[in-house]
């Protein structure tokens, strides 16, 4: 069952709440429309089992579809490197958000501000606080939570849905991006 | 009659002829301590007002801009609201979101500072009543002549006796009242002004800590700046359950002292277990190593539900508000001793002790409020001895946890209530299937907040199931902690001042704060050991100091047995309880004063500037949770010492983050030439939440760098940064070129590799700022 | 040298032989004022600690149980949260919802008390520096010898000079710090203990108010307890826009005084308009009636957007945080003068006045922070005179509001943002159709919070449209207010004490507090007039006092012109600004002391018990909004004086409500026989939100009843209660039988009707409590 | 359009939110199941136009269908009396709520606790705070908001719906109760 309530029950947001990602096409459309997306990946991505792989593996795949750069937070980079992915930028999650919130920041490659930011693999509450910061202070960045717990402070978030359903959606996004 | 109106009046006369007679050389000094006891010239800001250091704060805030992460979209603190503050909306009072968040931070840090200052006031008042206001302050004899570096720095006075602390407290209370006022609807509304006030509250907090700790060290004869302070026992496994057991919880040591003294008086020492949780426990062991520490504050429910304590004595701060409720379940009696935490209990302070004891013994009363620590201590001992025999069956037979767990419907409410999103549902179902391994793992990472249980619609006592399943782990909790040594000696500062400022000791890392860890307490110990082994100076206090002890190496030794308590490379220095954090900040200040001979007195900005630019110190507050922790952190921050908090620290609503990528932020004026020179992003942040232990360690190593590192010092610091980065993050740090000013900064052992990185980055040698005098 | 350690030391010797010579009858008193200046014996609780009056509080709280109305379901004040507190869930610290709500109330009232105390501290410090600590306190000459009833009552000391207030402030700051500490996570957790602490903060707040007001009355020579204090002008229509106009906003009168003095010095009085909003304005008119009051705090944006003020001088409290932003829109310059509200402006206090003036004149700076009231006042005058000519086109040409309004899509966001759910969308659409009537009605009921405008997705300047449409109303705002008289004279108390206590004056009703009215300010005036006409004593202060003036009878007279300023039946008594509320509480206390000759000194409980049982006083705070208002209300409540707030007051999160239907709640021990006797539900509530003006009036009349009313007094009070009830609610009150103790209580004119009601209800005469001595 | 958000935008509630009254039958069923319902009516009921009548008229009708007693708050009673309704109990709204929250209170007639409380005609925010008090401290009372602005703290509430739609629902409830 999809729950459009914060996964951590008490973490209510207020009047402005994330739109639910009702179907994979929503994400695909956002990526396609975005000029400069970025992906912020926390350490849990390497722990969260997603079928016989880890969430991190799917995120790498997703990133590769449109060359979306990755910011590796926590100790995520170690797990990226062990997967042969060496282009990530290492930043603490709050620092990444602080930069995103600066509309003058020219992005990881210095070529212009990011307009779309995906979040995944962060502890729920840390992602939550960061998304709140961006909701309030980064109106120029659209935020998307890719976890399977509803993140009300995001621009878009999956509802709190079972792992299988969520994985299917992620796979569909990747499939559609590749296709 | 001569009647004086002003506290800070000081009048004298050489000779007076009056009706009363002739008086010569007469002098009365009141309030502000006469300057005669201190030669040092008074700096620009003794007893600074809330705006006196605004300029300094704005310098810091210009470089480390607040990043706000609102708890929710609205403001709800007056009845004109709630107000929607999304977008650029203003509330009914005109406020916008950034200011509102900083206002909430200010309220929190004011609560924190008020808590410490009020604690200090209570201690000082009580100790004066017992030892006299003339009782000398002595925190370390001749080897520690700078007895109160923070008080000297902030207030510009040099306290010598307990009574001298009174005026310091007056000042702190006045300032806290003023700061709190600014949070009133329609008062301050600029976020940077709020932040400056937050810093002010933090600074006041540090002074409050110092007042509290030097008072109790001096009067209660704690270890006085002793590197080799004795070891004490820690852990639930160390308690002899055959004896009557008293539990003391909180932060004010006075009831514990009274218990220990009464036992001594009655010849009962060794016949009653005095066990403690939180800082009261730490301070009890500073007073007497006959006391035992159970664990940090997160141990409260676990320990009470074990049924072990016969009597629970609460004082102030960090006490679960359901202690009475939990105590009643196990038939344990509660004695509350603080005006600040009355627990709804009847005030029995004025009743005869016998009557109170009788009511508690018979269970006629489940608890009593006794606002006299001496009396409370005696009653606690008498009641514990009297109820213990009847409570010998108190360690409840383990419940049939598998049966309980079978009620679970996997609704996941427990997990959704868990602050750490721990996999409780699966573990509970495993318990039902008699597999205790998963719940054991949850136990290791749990902070005992008991929200899982509150959320269970099937009323499964989730937390009790967990602790019962992990009972064997509890039995093994037998550790040693070095008791709080108090201050750092002046002579130690003289020895390490040079190596620290030059960078040869790569850093001072302080592990402090609450036990609200993201992933259990083990990580604190691991971080501490990592840096101690790398020959940083590891300093600790409070719950963190306890968590560090709950760890053993292969030989079964705890960190305090492995590492000395010296304030020197490789030491693990437990200064004591939360209020002892003052000595950590004090040590940084003393480096400026004793080693670098800067004038301390009322000279905050210069000293903070020195610490900021020279002293490679970093705080790590892995479980930061409380308003007090926020206040302490802001005290360090105003001194220019960066603080790393755990991921839950993001819920403090704002970070103070530097922008290494903005070169223009890191210019500083060369003290020699006055020229603007690039000093690099050091320290890069002032207040930052780390996501994982690994990230925190890399950050800590990095944040130890300072503009004034010598080449050799920078090379040593970079060695640790690079090494840790490589080990835990898998690569050489990309930002390395920002920290290499010239080739002399490059660690020789890594020269080739680093040169390659520098070359790739197009690095060029820069003019480093000149060494400051 | 004699050095004193303790503030409250007091030493003397008859004769001393020493090296210095021989001294006889020598005495030094420090701190605590020597008791010699006051014969009265010290009661049980001078300088009460936070638990000293817990017993009294629990008596009240047992009868008036808190009803909590949580703002939301969670607790969010530490990083262990947020915690879901629905159902009987406990948070991570163990707290439950009731305690959490009372904790939030405590934080609010601590902020409120801190604000007043900090204001008092600033005033006293400044006035001492200017007038000397020996400046005598004089609030009403020989007719007002009890100069500080609340300070006497609470602290047990009798202040005679400005300097004597210092110690009172020390006490208040210490207590506030302690109270705030109890709100720390894991400290107090029982809702009734929190409530007791809330009461304590309220009591401290009242003392803070008194300190502030007696200091300024004494030093600045305000009207001293003068019933016939002069009238001053009020309203936007009274301002001569051809002159340079200064606006002062806030609560601290010092900058206003400086402006007025500088104008006098320069011979410019009458050539510059000094206009004010909020209590600064009230106090400015107490200082000089050359100042004009614009209106209550809700007038801020309206007035600024009118373009009239050339210079805005802000001090502290109740200042919209967007003043600078709004001022910039009209090219008005801002001078901030308070450390507590720096507005992000550069601190120019140390700069030469010429430089600051130049920067403001040229517009190089939009504002300046000048933390010296004298300097700020001079700068304000100079800048106003200099920029006014160029700003003569300042009253902006009315915008084409119909065009603006046409952008409206009727999305209703403005209405959903309006705290009073006013029908803004329809009114805006009517504006588009050039019908200004509906928006005019909205204007009359609007509090100027501007949230409508913030919410508009089409960026229609809704509030500006409204004020432009109602510009003619603004021009008509020309009223008279009697300036704040300060204290009530002892002689007045002697005269009315009897009638009040016996019930012959049916009640004292105080209209105070903020301007956050549910339905515009008119209702306050209407209520006040209703009771003044009924020959109650109507007392008022602050924004309510202003709102009362903004009303005319058929002859065009304002209430202050219709009614005398005597503290007597039928009077409308403006005591002054918010801090003058102390005199209202003080009057109640003085009835106990002067009329009933109870000992005042440190004797809180007995006096409060007297007031509670005898003095039919009620507070009406129709627009209560702020933390200060909450604190003041709780001060009255601890004294046993009920407070009615407007419907928004429900957002204070809890009521203190009696249960008239529970007979067992209203027994009291007969002072003569000691027997428990039923005294009826009087007063029925201690803190209650009323839904409408009508309900508030009926409640106010009812809450004036007291157990010790004489038969005649009760009959008079019942007359008003029944009459009002019948008029506004359409029926005779059903609860009437609860208030009739014997037939002598029944108003003669209503005897027949009431008898019928009593009979129907099965009423029987009861034994009334004996008259207390 | 039905908005399941607080009518006053910022008045967010938290994890526990009112169920929407999706159709009149919901209310009817509640009344029928209730042993001792009560109706708390604020002064706005006499002001809110509902077609050619006032809301208060409908509420009187509803009360009459099952003899639901009325607590008149504010100055509502005057308007009840003028409509010939004289059996109301007069209580301030917060006081009525305070009594309801006492599970020992034997109700207006002293015959037992009320188990269902309707609210209508109170200022939005006052009703909101009172419903919050009851949600948290009166688990034994089911609360229903009959206004047309969504009240998240109620047990049941209409969504924020247009007046006509709301009126239709009210009429339908009355009709079904009568029928």
């Amino acid at each position: 069952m999809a729950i459009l309530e914060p996964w951590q029950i008490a973490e209510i947001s207020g009047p402005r709440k994330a739109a639910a990602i009702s179907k994979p096409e929503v994400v695909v459309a956002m990526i396609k429309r975005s000029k400069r997306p970025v992906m912020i990946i926390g350490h849990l991505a390497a722990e969260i089992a997603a079928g016989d792989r880890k969430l991190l593996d799917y995120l790498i795949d997703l990133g590769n579809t449109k060359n979306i750069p990755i910011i590796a937070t926590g100790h995520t980079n170690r797990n990226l490197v062990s997967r042969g992915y060496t282009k990530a930028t290492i930043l603490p999650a709050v620092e990444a958000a602080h930069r995103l919130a600066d509309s003058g920041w020219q992005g990881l490659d210095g070529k212009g501000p990011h307009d779309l930011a995906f979040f995944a693999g962060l502890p729920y509450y840390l992602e939550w606080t960061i998304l709140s910061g961006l909701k309030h202070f980064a109106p120029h960045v659209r935020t998307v939570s890719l976890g399977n717990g509803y993140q009300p402070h995001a621009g878009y978030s999956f509802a709190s849905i079972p792992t299988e359903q969520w994985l299917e959606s992620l796979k569909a996004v990747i499939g559609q991006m590749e296709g | 009659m001569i009647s004086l109106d002003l506290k800070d009046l000081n009048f004298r006369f050489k000779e007076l002829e009056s009706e009363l007679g002739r008086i010569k050389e007469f002098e009365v000094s009141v309030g502000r301590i006469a300057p005669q006891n201190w030669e040092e010239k008074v700096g620009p800001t003794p007893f600074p007002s809330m705006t006196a250091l605004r300029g300094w704060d704005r310098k810091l805030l210009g470089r480390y801009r607040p990043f706000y992460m609102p708890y929710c979209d609205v403001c709800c603190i007056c009845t004109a609201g709630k107000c929607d503050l999304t977008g650029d909306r203003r509330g009914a009072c005109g406020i916008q979101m950034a200011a509102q968040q900083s206002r909430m931070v200010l309220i929190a840090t004011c609560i924190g500072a008020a808590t410490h200052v009020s604690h200090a006031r209570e201690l000082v008042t009580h100790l004066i009543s017992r030892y006299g206001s003339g009782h000398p302050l002595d925190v370390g004899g001749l080897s520690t002549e700078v007895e109160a570096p923070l008080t000297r720095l902030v207030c510009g006075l040099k306290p010598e006796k307990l009574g001298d602390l009174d005026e310091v407290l007056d000042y702190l209370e006045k300032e806290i009242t003023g700061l709190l006022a600014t949070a009133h609807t329609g008062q301050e509304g600029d976020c940077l002004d709020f932040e400056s006030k937050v810093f002010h509250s933090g600074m006041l907090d540090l002074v409050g800590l110092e007042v509290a700790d030097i008072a109790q060290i001096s009067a209660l004869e704690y270890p006085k700046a002793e590197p080799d302070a004795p070891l004490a026992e820690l852990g639930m496994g160390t308690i002899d359950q055959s004896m009557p057991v008293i539990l003391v919880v909180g932060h004010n040591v006075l009831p514990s002292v009274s218990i220990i003294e009464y036992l001594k008086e009655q010849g009962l020492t060794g016949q009653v277990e005095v066990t403690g949780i939180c800082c009261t426990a730490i301070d009890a062991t500073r007073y007497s190593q006959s006391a035992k520490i159970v664990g940090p504050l997160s141990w409260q429910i676990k320990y009470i539900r074990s049924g072990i304590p016969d009597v629970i004595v609460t004082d102030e701060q960090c006490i679960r508000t359901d202690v009475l409720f939990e105590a009643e379940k196990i038939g344990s009696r509660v004695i509350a001793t603080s005006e600040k935490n009355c627990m709804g209990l009847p005030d029995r302070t004025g009743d005869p002790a016998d009557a109170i004891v009788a009511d508690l013994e018979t269970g006629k009363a489940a608890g009593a409020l006794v606002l006299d620590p001496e009396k409370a201590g005696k009653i606690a001992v008498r009641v514990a001895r009297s109820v213990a025999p009847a409570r010998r069956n108190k360690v409840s037979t383990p419940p049939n946890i598998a049966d309980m767990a079978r009620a679970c419907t996997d609704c996941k409410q427990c997990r959704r209530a868990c602050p750490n999103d721990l996999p409780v549902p699966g573990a509970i179902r495993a318990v039902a299937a008699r597999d205790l391994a998963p719940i054991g793992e949850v136990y290791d990472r749990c902070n005992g907040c008991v929200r899982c249980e509150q959320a269970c619609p099937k009323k499964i006592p989730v937390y009790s199931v967990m602790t019962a399943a992990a009972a064997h782990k509890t039995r093994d909790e037998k550790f040693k902690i070095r008791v709080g040594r108090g201050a750092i000696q002046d002579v130690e500062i003289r020895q390490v001042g040079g190596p620290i400022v030059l960078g040869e000791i790569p850093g001072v890392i302080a592990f402090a704060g609450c036990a609200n860890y993201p992933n259990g307490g083990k990580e604190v110990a691991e971080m501490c050991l990592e840096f101690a082994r790398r020959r940083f100076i590891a300093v600790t206090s409070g719950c963190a100091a306890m968590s560090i002890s709950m760890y053993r190496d292969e030989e079964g030794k705890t960190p305090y047995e492995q590492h000395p308590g010296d304030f020197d490379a490789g030491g693990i220095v437990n200064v004591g309880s939360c209020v002892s954090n003052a000595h950590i900040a004090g040590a940084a200040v003393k480096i400026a004063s004793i080693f670098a001979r800067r004038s301390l007195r009322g000279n905050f900005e210069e000293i903070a500037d020195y610490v900021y630019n020279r002293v490679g110190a970093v705080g790590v507050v892995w479980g930061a949770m409380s308003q007090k922790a926020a206040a302490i952190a802001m005290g360090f921050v105003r001194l220019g010492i960066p603080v790393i908090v755990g991921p839950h620290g993001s819920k403090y609503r704002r970070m103070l983050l530097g922008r290494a990528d903005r070169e223009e932020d890191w210019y500083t004026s060369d003290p020699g030439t006055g020229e603007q020179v690039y000093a690099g992003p050091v320290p890069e942040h002032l207040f930052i939440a780390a996501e994982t232990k690994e990230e925190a360690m890399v950050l800590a190593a990095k944040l130890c760098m300072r503009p004034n590192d010598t080449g050799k010092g920078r090379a040593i610091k970079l060695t640790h940064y690079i090494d840790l980065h490589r080990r835990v993050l898998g690569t050489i740090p990309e930002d390395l070129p920002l920290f290499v000013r010239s080739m002399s900064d490059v660690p020789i052992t890594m020269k080739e590799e680093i040169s390659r990185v520098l070359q790739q980055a197009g690095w060029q040698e820069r003019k480093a700022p000149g060494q400051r005098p």
Side-chain angles (χ1 to χ4, degrees), chain A, chain B:
Chain A
M1 195 195 67
I3 313 174
L4 216 59
E5 295 291 332
W7 170 247
Q8 290 201 340
I9 286 174
E11 302 295 1
I12 57 173
S13 65
R16 200 178 291 179
K17 285 187 280 286
I21 301 172
S22 49
K23 49 187 181 181
E25 287 73 15
V26 174
V27 179
V28 172
M30 275 189 286
I31 300 176
K32 290 194 170 158
R33 244 180 293 132
S34 160
K35 292 209 184 84
R36 301 178 50 72
V38 65
M39 212 185 266
I40 293 93
I41 305 184
H43 75 288
L44 295 173
E47 294 178 19
I48 296 169
D52 47 0
R53 303 169 79 203
K54 300 287 184 185
L55 170 59
L56 185 57
D57 299 303
Y58 289 97
L59 296 170
I60 293 172
D61 288 352
L62 176 59
N64 286 337
T65 61
K66 205 197 159 185
N67 213 9
I68 305 174
I70 289 175
I71 295 176
T73 71
H75 55 276
T76 305
N77 195 61
R78 191 170 60 192
N79 296 301
L80 285 170
V81 169
S82 71
R83 282 161 171 80
Y85 189 98
T86 56
K87 338 175 256 190
T89 301
I90 299 170
L91 282 176
V94 290
E95 195 182 343
H98 182 50
R99 293 196 186 183
L100 280 172
D102 172 6
S103 62
W105 184 48
Q106 294 302 307
L108 293 173
D109 58 7
K111 292 182 181 161
H114 296 289
D115 56 355
L116 176 66
F118 290 103
F119 287 83
L122 289 168
Y124 181 83
Y125 56 89
L126 180 62
E127 183 174 329
W128 180 90
T129 47
I130 285 172
L131 286 168
S132 172
L134 294 174
K135 168 162 80 173
H136 289 283
F137 300 104
H140 51 285
V141 184
R142 177 171 283 183
T143 60
V144 182
S145 170
L146 291 178
N148 66 335
Y150 180 65
Q151 284 283 6
H153 278 301
Y156 289 81
S157 168
F158 285 108
S160 297
I161 48 176
T163 312
E164 306 70 43
Q165 189 183 339
W166 168 59
L167 250 187
E168 280 317 305
S169 293
L170 280 184
K171 282 184 196 166
V173 171
I174 296 166
Q176 291 180 32
M177 284 303 300
E178 282 169 342
Chain B
M1 185 188 134
I2 300 170
S3 161
L4 309 178
D5 299 307
L6 271 178
K7 276 182 306 174
D8 53 356
L9 199 79
N10 176 12
F11 77 86
R12 54 178 130 180
F13 41 80
K14 279 277 182 197
E15 203 168 321
L16 172 83
E17 281 272 353
S18 81
E19 288 175 17
L20 297 174
R22 197 168 121 161
I23 309 174
K24 277 183 182 175
E25 299 283 0
F26 179 82
E27 176 169 351
V28 177
S29 299
V30 180
R32 297 278 153 102
I33 282 116
Q36 284 82 339
N37 76 345
W38 196 9
E39 293 295 327
E40 202 165 287
K41 128 176 173 297
V42 186
T45 56
F47 291 106
S49 78
M50 67 174 87
T51 58
L53 295 162
R54 188 174 178 250
W56 167 246
D57 296 338
R58 295 214 151 212
K59 264 186 222 165
L60 292 176
L61 291 162
R63 187 171 274 184
Y64 305 97
R65 296 186 186 81
F67 176 56
Y68 296 104
M69 297 178 289
Y71 238 43
C72 84
D73 296 348
V74 308
C75 171
C76 65
I77 65 176
C78 80
T79 81
K82 303 176 187 174
C83 294
D84 175 8
L85 299 184
T86 54
D88 54 1
R89 284 179 183 78
R90 293 174 186 277
C93 66
I95 208 163
Q96 287 184 311
M97 188 52 107
Q100 173 55 19
Q101 293 304 308
S102 52
R103 183 181 179 200
M104 294 307 293
V105 174
L106 177 62
I107 291 174
T109 56
C110 279
I111 292 176
T115 304
H116 286 133
V117 170
S118 155
H119 174 195
R121 172 64 82 180
E122 196 161 329
L123 271 176
V124 169
T125 303
H126 189 87
L127 294 173
I128 284 178
S129 78
R130 201 158 153 186
Y131 298 91
S133 68
H135 188 90
L137 295 175
D138 172 12
V139 300
L142 293 178
S143 62
T144 315
E145 290 195 334
V146 181
E147 73 308 309
L150 300 169
T151 304
R152 289 185 178 198
L153 176 68
V154 173
C155 301
L157 60 78
K158 179 172 171 312
E160 293 181 336
K161 310 175 293 304
L162 278 179
D164 295 344
L165 299 173
D166 227 27
E167 189 193 0
V168 178
L169 290 169
D170 279 352
Y171 161 72
L172 299 175
E173 288 159 350
K174 171 167 94 68
E175 289 299 306
I176 288 171
T177 301
L179 286 175
L180 183 64
T182 66
H184 193 277
T185 299
Q187 202 134 220
E188 194 59 85
D190 177 84
C191 72
L192 293 187
D193 274 318
F194 271 126
E195 295 294 350
S196 170
K197 288 169 165 80
V198 166
F199 287 9
H200 195 60
S201 69
M203 183 195 73
L204 301 172
D205 187 77
L206 291 188
V207 178
L209 301 179
E210 184 173 89
V211 168
D213 213 34
I214 66 179
Q216 63 180 354
I217 291 171
S218 302
L220 301 176
E221 298 288 338
Y222 290 172
K224 293 187 171 178
E226 290 170 25
D228 51 353
L231 295 169
E233 288 187 282
L234 185 149
M236 278 173 69
T238 66
I239 299 162
D240 181 346
Q241 298 182 29
S242 69
M243 287 195 252
V245 179
I246 297 172
L247 165 62
V248 292
V249 199
H251 278 248
N252 185 329
V253 77
L254 297 172
S256 306
V257 165
S258 151
I259 291 166
I260 293 166
E261 283 305 306
Y262 184 68
L263 288 173
K264 211 184 282 176
E265 224 176 278
Q266 302 288 314
L268 293 169
T269 307
Q271 294 175 47
V272 173
E273 283 280 41
V274 182
T275 67
I277 283 178
C278 215
C279 285
T280 286
I282 294 209
D283 285 340
T285 61
R286 291 166 87 186
Y287 185 72
S288 159
Q289 290 81 56
S290 67
K292 287 172 182 174
I293 300 174
V294 173
L297 65 90
S298 48
W299 253 248
Q300 281 180 68
I301 299 301
K302 189 189 303 189
Y303 183 50
I304 296 175
R305 290 202 184 167
S306 76
I308 298 172
D310 296 301
V311 169
I312 301 173
V313 179
T314 62
D315 55 85
E316 59 172 54
Q317 304 170 47
C318 301
I319 298 161
R320 283 190 64 100
T321 58
D322 53 359
V323 159
L324 190 60
F325 175 77
E326 293 283 341
E328 280 177 346
K329 290 193 210 166
I330 60 156
S332 177
R333 315 302 198 263
V334 174
I335 300 170
T337 65
S338 168
E339 286 199 305
K340 282 172 273 175
N341 190 2
C342 297
M343 300 182 142
L345 290 166
D347 187 350
R348 306 290 300 267
T349 314
D351 293 357
D354 287 347
I356 306 171
V357 170
D359 286 351
L360 291 172
E361 270 174 12
T362 58
K364 196 178 143 197
L369 175 63
V370 182
L371 297 172
D372 168 347
E374 269 85 30
K375 192 170 192 171
K378 286 177 194 169
I379 292 169
V381 171
R382 289 176 57 190
V383 174
R385 296 189 71 219
S386 143
V387 303
R391 287 187 73 262
R392 273 307 64 113
N393 59 343
K394 64 194 172 182
V395 183
S396 53
T397 44
N400 189 332
I401 56 174
D403 277 1
M404 286 174 171
R406 265 189 285 276
C408 173
T409 63
D410 197 26
C411 74
K412 300 197 169 54
Q413 293 294 313
C414 51
R415 180 164 185 170
R416 292 181 65 194
C418 174
N420 291 318
D421 199 25
L422 296 177
V424 186
I428 290 289
R429 278 171 297 141
V431 170
R434 300 190 186 278
D435 170 10
L436 300 187
I439 198 93
E441 277 167 45
V442 170
Y443 175 90
D444 289 340
R445 297 165 64 193
C446 165
N447 299 323
C449 79
V450 201
R451 288 205 321 215
C452 47
E453 193 173 298
Q454 304 288 336
C456 180
K458 293 291 176 186
K459 304 277 171 211
I460 302 173
V462 181
Y463 187 68
S464 289
V465 168
M466 188 194 308
T467 49
H472 61 287
K473 298 195 181 203
T474 308
R475 278 194 297 275
D476 289 347
E477 286 176 1
K478 294 182 187 176
F479 306 98
K480 296 279 187 191
I481 183 171
R482 192 173 305 284
V483 307
R485 57 169 281 180
I488 309 305
Q489 298 176 7
D490 299 355
V491 290
E492 288 175 291
I493 296 293
R494 261 178 222 112
Q495 278 163 16
V496 298
I500 289 173
V501 168
L502 301 174
E504 289 159 10
I505 290 179
V508 180
I509 306 200
F511 298 91
C514 323
N516 187 41
Y517 307 119
N519 209 14
K522 205 176 151 198
E523 294 184 335
V524 180
E526 288 168 347
M527 285 191 274
C528 176
L529 280 168
E530 176 77 40
F531 286 103
R533 285 181 189 138
R534 287 177 181 273
R535 303 195 57 74
F536 286 61
I537 304 179
V539 192
T540 186
S541 68
C543 286
M546 298 185 197
S547 295
I548 288 168
S549 85
M550 301 175 91
Y551 189 89
R552 294 181 185 286
D553 64 6
E554 298 73 22
E555 294 169 34
K557 280 193 174 168
T558 62
Y560 296 105
E561 294 166 297
Q562 297 168 47
H563 289 262
D566 301 75
F567 191 77
D568 202 350
I572 296 183
V573 187
N574 178 16
V575 288
S577 59
C578 272
V579 291
S580 310
N581 280 313
H583 307 303
I584 303 177
V589 166
K590 293 208 307 190
I591 289 173
S593 143
I594 296 172
F595 165 72
R597 300 179 181 280
R598 302 289 173 119
S599 170
L600 206 56
R601 185 174 196 173
N603 194 27
F604 190 92
E605 179 164 348
E606 186 186 340
I607 295 292
D609 187 75
Y610 184 93
V611 170
Y612 173 67
N613 281 296
R614 296 271 201 154
V615 180
V618 174
V620 177
V621 195
W622 201 232
M625 170 204 92
S626 71
Q627 296 84 12
K628 288 185 298 167
I632 297 175
M634 290 307 110
F636 277 86
V637 159
R638 198 182 222 186
L639 269 175
I641 299 173
V643 174
I644 300 164
V645 288
H648 283 289
S650 65
K651 289 187 255 173
Y652 279 125
R653 298 161 199 239
R654 73 99 170 73
M655 306 277 106
L656 299 170
L657 302 175
R659 284 286 297 274
D661 62 315
R662 289 167 53 97
E663 189 185 301
E664 63 272 32
D665 282 3
W666 304 98
Y667 279 79
T668 185
S669 118
D670 187 294
T673 63
E675 216 182 322
Q676 287 287 308
V677 287
Y678 178 76
V682 287
E684 191 171 336
H685 306 293
L686 271 186
F687 187 65
I688 184 167
E691 178 184 340
T692 63
K693 178 191 78 174
E694 291 79 3
E695 183 171 82
M697 288 194 299
V698 172
L699 271 170
K702 178 156 84 167
L703 295 179
C704 284
M705 288 187 264
R706 288 297 179 281
N708 287 79
D709 293 333
T710 58
K712 187 177 164 200
R714 180 60 63 89
I716 292 170
K717 291 181 179 184
L718 280 175
T719 305
H720 292 287
Y721 173 50
I722 296 168
D723 185 58
L724 269 166
H725 196 285
R726 201 149 42 181
R727 205 182 78 212
V728 305
L729 302 182
T731 55
I732 264 204
E734 243 183 77
D735 58 2
L736 179 57
L738 298 173
F739 304 110
V740 179
R741 300 162 299 183
S742 70
M743 287 310 288
S744 68
D745 289 348
V746 176
I748 298 174
T749 52
M750 302 177 173
K751 196 153 190 179
E752 210 170 311
E753 192 176 2
I754 293 178
S755 299
R756 205 163 45 235
V757 172
L758 293 176
Q759 212 174 345
Q760 277 171 6
W763 174 88
Q764 283 187 316
E765 187 152 317
R766 287 174 184 270
K767 190 166 182 307
Q771 292 297 321
R772 299 195 182 187

